[in-house]
Amino acid sequence: MGYLIHDNKHWPLALTIAQEKLTFEQHMASLEGWNAWFERNEPFHVIRFYVDKASLEQASGVGKATLEWMSKGADSKFRTLVKSMMIVVPPDQYPRMKKMDVTAVFGIPGGIFPSIEDALDWLDSSTEIKDLPDLKQNWKEAVKHALDQF
């Protein structure tokens, strides 16, 4: 069984970290984590970090449950509160995933990246993102350190 961590100690930058395949119940708990972020009613950025190939696999029923969650209001919260979303996948999975379009799917700036460094560089250089000064000093190193534990 895999695990998923929701981390907001670098707010307004939130992290999700997934390792191994998640169960349906873990995925539903993840949606509740997103709901908690939405309840703050503050704009934020998110990095979704997938440690391994198995963490990209979905349990049966996850797609349907996520679509239902989105249709109950999460889709509009994504578009109004999530300012960008970076999805970091294992480098060996990047070639098959790089064509996914975060903007087309979620209606927000973002992308798929083969490393945390690439995602942070994109975030740092994005001209559409102006609220990052709220992040604490050395946030890049803090995020890298958090992810290095996996």
Side-chain angles (χ1 to χ4, degrees):
M1 181 170 76
Y3 68 89
L4 181 67
I5 296 170
H6 283 75
D7 178 341
N8 65 351
K9 61 183 148 196
H10 306 289
W11 195 264
L13 178 65
L15 301 173
T16 66
I17 306 165
Q19 187 167 18
E20 297 298 325
K21 186 175 180 179
L22 302 178
T23 65
F24 179 81
E25 292 76 19
Q26 287 172 310
H27 179 78
M28 296 308 291
S30 171
L31 298 183
E32 288 305 314
W34 279 92
N35 286 340
W37 290 339
F38 292 153
E39 286 173 12
R40 293 177 77 146
N41 203 30
E42 299 171 1
F44 66 101
H45 305 270
V46 65
I47 298 176
R48 298 172 68 187
F49 186 78
Y50 293 89
V51 175
D52 51 28
K53 180 181 179 182
S55 62
L56 294 166
E57 298 173 15
Q58 292 188 343
S60 178
V62 161
K64 182 179 178 183
T66 303
L67 287 174
E68 185 177 316
W69 173 72
M70 293 289 279
S71 72
K72 289 182 177 176
D75 57 345
S76 65
K77 290 180 183 179
F78 260 96
R79 288 183 181 89
T80 57
L81 296 175
V82 182
K83 296 305 176 186
S84 69
M85 181 164 57
M86 292 123 300
I87 300 173
V88 180
V89 299
D92 65 330
Q93 298 302 304
Y94 180 71
R96 78 175 179 95
M97 308 241 0
K98 68 181 178 182
K99 292 182 182 163
M100 291 177 58
D101 189 335
V102 169
T103 303
V105 173
F106 295 100
I108 57 175
I112 309 293
F113 302 92
S115 72
I116 188 62
E117 289 80 11
D118 290 329
L120 293 174
D121 286 347
W122 176 86
L123 184 60
D124 202 26
S125 66
S126 178
T127 57
E128 298 178 40
I129 299 167
K130 303 189 182 358
D131 59 353
L132 286 178
D134 291 342
L135 292 172
K136 296 175 186 144
Q137 204 110 101
N138 301 323
W139 65 273
K140 283 186 184 181
E141 291 308 313
V143 167
K144 287 180 191 177
H145 178 70
L147 297 175
D148 283 344
Q149 298 172 25
F150 300 95

